[in-house]
Amino acid sequence: MQFKKSVCAITCAFTLAFSLALPAQAQKKLPSDAAPDDIFLALRDAVRADDSATALTLASRLPDYVIPSYVDYYRLKPRVRDFTASQAEIREFLNRYDGSAIADRLRNDWLLALGKNGDWATFDEQYPLFILNDDVQVKCFALTSRALKGQNVADEARAALISPKDYGQGCSDLIVTLFQNHQFDDNDIWAQIRQAVEAGSPTVARRAAAVFNDRTDVVLQQAIDKPGPLLARGPGKTRTAHELYIVALGRVARNNAQQAGMLLNTASGLSQQEQATAWAQIALQASMKLTPEAIDYWRKTRDVPLSYEAYQWKARIALRAGDWKLLRSTIDVMPASLRSDITWTYWQARALRQDGQNEAAQKLFQSIASNVGFYGQLATEELGKKIVIPPGPVPATAAEIAPMAQNEGFKRALKFYDLNMRFEGIREWNWELRKMNDRQLLAAAEFARQSDVLDRMVNTSERTRAEMDFTQRFPAPHLTEMTASTRALGLENAWVYGLIRQESRFIKNAKSYVGASGLMQLMPSTAKYVARKIGMSEFSQDQINDINTNILLGTNYLNMVLNNLDGSQALATAAYNAGPSRPRSWRATLPGPVEGAIFAETIPFNETRGYVKNVMSNATYYAAIFENRPQSLKQRLGMVGPKVDAPTDLP
């Protein structure tokens, strides 16, 4: 099966891709009697294309549109981005729609423009008013503004500069500013360069290297693109030459970690710290491919500072190798924000227990057991309990639900859902949830159920803390159709629903940007393959979103994958997301049998790793609901061994 991104992963990141908007070429060719919704969609597309002239023309055709704030926003946004909008226009919009989601969105756009333009006086005035404050670039611009005023922001910057793919101009400018005013030194710059190269962001790396003003950025690009000639010359004698050599080793290690290791073993002139840093570059690349030598490479890194990604992979490879001592020492030196993540709290507790420190381990397990996700469930089991459904709250009353139906933000969200503009719909919906208490959230979730937007029901209900309604969090629509299909195959309903909850959040017409469709997010080629295998002679692609057909094909494919992988739900779940061949190769590199939780945590694809953990966690709750008895996530995960599986023709 072709690797695909699930709609849930895309929804949670606000990047759902639905394909009903008008093509770009149609924007200027709308008929004079075009429907307002069609004009609005074309307006949205013109703005996405930064076509301000077309946006202004289309906006003028919507004087009385049902969502006037977005017409005004689309009219203004391209001009904010290209600095042609006046401050008076922008301030007027912000005042008119004060307190709304779209006003906060425009303020985000404006702050980016102000930062790029270096208008720090206006930026400093507007930044405290940015409510969501969820834009990494804006945060970097804010730190730059403070640094230019003489404030020391180095520690805050180091904590913020951990994801190069999110940097943009704002964070690259911050790095330069901090170096120029001596808050960052050479060590900071090279750490940023290595991190950017690790993350596949060479442009960010080159921008950081440019601070040295000595063609380091040019040679860095050569080390990234063609590391061989640089490595052949050896490490050289200067700090810059050593660092470039280390980068080049990491690039070679992407394809051949053993070769990189041999080169490092014969290199001379590197300090012990530089050698450890170089081994970390090699170890990270070896970890991504789950090569057996990765654990040995990590052991040579000692306590050298690492990127966030490298710290986590050092811990994962220690887990895979059963090296609990290395696991614990790695977690101990992680940055505090990373060490406190529930993933590493759980594994730190496991490492402590392995070391005989049961009391300390118990305290850590207890600190996360109330979390209803994957590691909260595992911590609960480590405390000797099973997974149960908590008592439900008093259902939301009609009086509690009524205000939700009158909520203007929810009205806008539902209109956007009708237009398949889920990005905008989710933004409007979530904006309204920010200040709600548990009872209001439950009422909003019930309103979402009544409005047939089950993804919003699930996500809204998940925000409650004291009152948890698991019928909202784990719905089971189409149960009759599902049972008819699963019973014939001997599949477990709980597992299938756990997968659907992660794949599509029960959006019936869901379509990911790579083309996976429907509740079970079937790729066209997979649907065609399964239809042929089960004898659906009259199958056509337009049937994929039909509920019955989607369930029939999806459950049959899931059953094929399960049977192909020894009945392991953990492996089959990974295969459903990443394709059957990948889990087979991942398990083949295991040094021996490992817990399913260790297999899941060491999956080298970020999306698939989270996907497997979420599906298996979901399935455990669904089983508790369907069977009305305590469940074990650990038992469901089982053990995964290093079997080399035979090839399969499954897509």
Side-chain angles (χ1 to χ4, degrees):
M1 185 178 184
Q2 182 181 351
F3 181 67
K4 62 183 179 62
K5 288 193 176 292
S6 65
V7 165
C8 176
I10 299 167
T11 301
C12 296
F14 298 117
T15 53
L16 260 174
F18 284 77
S19 57
L20 298 185
L22 294 177
Q25 293 301 315
Q27 294 170 6
K28 299 180 181 180
K29 300 178 181 179
L30 287 170
S32 58
D33 60 347
D37 285 349
D38 288 339
I39 299 172
F40 184 72
L41 288 170
L43 170 61
R44 186 272 311 269
D45 286 350
V47 171
R48 285 181 172 177
D50 281 332
D51 186 347
S52 57
T54 299
L56 288 171
T57 299
L58 292 170
S60 68
R61 297 174 62 180
L62 294 168
D64 300 309
Y65 193 63
V66 67
I67 312 178
S69 59
Y70 276 73
V71 175
D72 290 341
Y73 172 73
Y74 288 144
R75 179 187 289 116
L76 192 56
K77 179 181 177 177
R79 297 173 55 237
V80 170
R81 186 177 294 172
D82 65 15
F83 312 113
T84 59
S86 69
Q87 282 204 17
E89 291 177 279
I90 298 170
R91 291 180 187 277
E92 194 278 330
F93 179 94
L94 293 174
N95 289 332
R96 189 187 330 152
Y97 299 113
D98 183 43
S100 68
I102 199 60
D104 204 52
R105 178 68 250 181
L106 185 76
R107 180 168 279 114
N108 189 167
D109 299 331
W110 193 22
L111 285 167
L112 287 171
L114 292 169
K116 291 173 182 177
N117 229 15
D119 184 349
W120 300 116
T122 309
F123 183 96
D124 293 344
E125 168 208 309
Q126 290 296 315
Y127 183 60
L129 304 176
F130 182 24
I131 295 173
L132 290 187
N133 196 17
D134 56 354
D135 189 309
V136 173
Q137 271 206 87
V138 170
K139 292 178 181 178
C140 285
F141 279 131
L143 290 171
T144 298
S145 178
R146 290 170 54 196
L148 291 171
K149 295 175 179 63
Q151 297 181 36
N152 191 315
V153 300
D155 287 342
E156 292 175 74
R158 292 186 189 103
L161 293 168
I162 60 173
S163 182
K165 291 185 178 180
D166 299 327
Y167 281 10
Q169 178 185 331
C171 296
S172 290
D173 286 356
L174 173 62
I175 293 168
V176 173
T177 299
L178 295 184
F179 184 76
Q180 290 174 341
N181 67 12
H182 308 294
Q183 294 193 41
F184 269 14
D185 59 16
D186 287 11
N187 293 327
D188 290 298
I189 299 302
W190 283 111
Q192 285 296 320
I193 291 170
R194 290 192 300 271
Q195 179 179 249
V197 175
E198 288 174 10
S201 301
T203 300
V204 172
R206 280 199 63 174
R207 287 173 180 167
V211 303
F212 296 121
N213 297 318
D214 59 0
R215 294 190 76 253
T216 297
D217 57 327
V218 176
V219 184
L220 173 65
Q221 192 66 54
Q222 294 169 359
I224 293 171
D225 294 339
K226 296 180 179 180
L230 189 149
L231 291 173
R233 294 195 296 269
K237 296 181 179 181
T238 66
R239 166 74 185 275
T240 296
H242 289 183
E243 292 286 358
L244 291 168
Y245 188 83
I246 291 169
V247 169
L249 282 173
R251 297 296 286 179
V252 168
R254 290 188 312 155
N255 298 318
N256 193 329
Q258 288 182 324
Q259 180 187 359
M262 288 188 291
L263 287 167
L264 180 54
N265 276 326
T266 59
S268 60
L270 298 176
S271 69
Q272 288 187 343
Q273 179 87 352
E274 288 170 337
Q275 289 179 43
T277 300
W279 282 118
Q281 295 297 297
I282 296 170
L284 180 59
Q285 299 304 324
S287 298
M288 299 295 191
K289 296 184 181 299
L290 302 177
T291 59
E293 298 82 8
I295 186 64
D296 296 322
Y297 300 149
W298 282 122
R299 287 170 179 151
K300 296 178 180 181
T301 64
R302 300 178 298 173
D303 291 330
V304 69
L306 304 171
S307 67
Y308 273 49
E309 186 74 357
Y311 275 121
Q312 294 185 89
W313 271 109
K314 186 174 182 179
R316 290 179 185 129
I317 295 302
L319 263 177
R320 244 181 169 247
D323 190 337
W324 294 95
K325 183 178 179 180
L326 179 60
L327 172 66
R328 182 183 168 191
S329 65
T330 301
I331 297 173
D332 284 345
V333 297
M334 285 178 174
S337 59
L338 183 57
R339 188 171 63 250
S340 63
D341 182 271
I342 191 171
T343 300
W344 305 117
T345 300
Y346 173 80
W347 289 115
Q348 184 179 37
R350 288 287 303 274
L352 287 169
R353 176 172 288 175
Q354 194 75 16
D355 193 38
Q357 300 187 48
N358 293 327
E359 185 176 345
Q362 288 289 100
K363 288 181 180 179
L364 287 179
F365 288 135
Q366 289 167 356
S367 73
I368 61 174
S370 61
N371 184 287
V372 298
F374 183 81
Y375 281 114
Q377 290 169 303
L378 290 178
T380 296
E381 293 199 53
E382 293 295 337
L383 294 170
K385 303 174 184 178
K386 291 291 182 72
I387 312 305
V388 298
I389 302 301
V394 174
T397 65
E400 289 175 308
I401 297 170
M404 306 304 160
Q406 299 305 314
N407 184 293
E408 293 300 323
F410 289 165
K411 289 180 181 178
R412 286 190 291 271
L414 293 178
K415 175 63 177 179
F416 285 134
Y417 295 152
D418 288 342
L419 295 172
N420 276 314
M421 293 175 63
R422 285 193 169 267
F423 177 94
E424 293 81 0
I426 290 169
R427 178 170 59 205
E428 286 288 336
W429 188 279
N430 287 350
W431 179 265
E432 300 301 321
L433 304 180
R434 292 173 303 114
K435 296 182 179 180
M436 290 188 178
N437 60 32
D438 276 10
R439 291 303 304 175
Q440 291 170 318
L441 289 168
L442 292 171
E446 190 56 37
F447 173 64
R449 188 204 303 266
Q450 294 174 6
S451 303
D452 197 28
V453 282
L454 298 190
D455 62 310
R456 291 303 92 206
M457 177 188 73
V458 171
N459 288 47
T460 301
S461 193
E462 281 187 328
R463 292 178 178 236
T464 64
R465 290 296 175 260
E467 298 189 66
M468 299 184 186
D469 187 337
F470 273 60
T471 67
Q472 292 179 341
R473 294 187 180 203
F474 296 91
H478 320 295
L479 185 57
T480 300
E481 297 91 333
M482 179 64 70
T483 302
S485 185
T486 56
R487 182 178 293 142
L489 297 168
L491 275 181
E492 181 194 26
N493 270 348
W495 181 41
V496 181
Y497 272 106
L499 184 140
I500 293 175
R501 186 181 188 271
Q502 182 63 20
E503 282 284 356
S504 66
R505 277 293 198 268
F506 307 101
I507 304 169
K508 293 186 285 289
N509 64 340
K511 187 171 184 179
S512 77
Y513 74 87
V514 295
S517 299
L519 288 176
M520 296 193 70
Q521 286 292 278
L522 291 167
M523 295 293 288
S525 59
T526 302
K528 183 178 180 180
Y529 171 90
V530 177
R532 185 175 69 252
K533 285 288 186 180
I534 66 175
M536 279 186 70
S537 57
E538 298 182 2
F539 171 73
S540 61
Q541 293 293 336
D542 58 5
Q543 294 176 274
I544 293 181
N545 278 332
D546 173 74
I547 298 297
N548 289 336
T549 303
N550 193 271
I551 288 175
L552 176 64
L553 296 177
T555 52
N556 270 276
Y557 180 71
L558 190 57
N559 189 55
M560 293 174 190
V561 172
L562 183 67
N563 291 334
N564 185 252
L565 290 165
D566 305 329
S568 167
Q569 288 188 0
L571 285 167
T573 301
Y576 197 89
N577 179 260
S581 64
R582 290 188 174 98
R584 291 200 301 273
S585 66
W586 298 336
R587 76 184 297 191
T589 63
L590 286 166
V594 299
E595 300 171 32
I598 293 177
F599 170 79
E601 185 55 49
T602 58
I603 290 172
F605 289 175
N606 291 341
E607 185 205 329
T608 305
R609 186 186 318 119
Y611 179 91
V612 171
K613 291 190 285 189
N614 287 336
V615 169
M616 298 302 281
S617 172
N618 294 345
T620 304
Y621 282 126
Y622 273 113
I625 293 170
F626 292 155
E627 299 175 23
N628 194 28
R629 63 184 178 86
Q631 298 290 318
S632 170
L633 173 57
K634 293 186 74 171
Q635 182 178 343
R636 181 176 294 275
L637 288 164
M639 300 289 291
V640 177
K643 177 181 177 182
V644 178
D645 295 290
T648 176
D649 67 343
L650 287 174

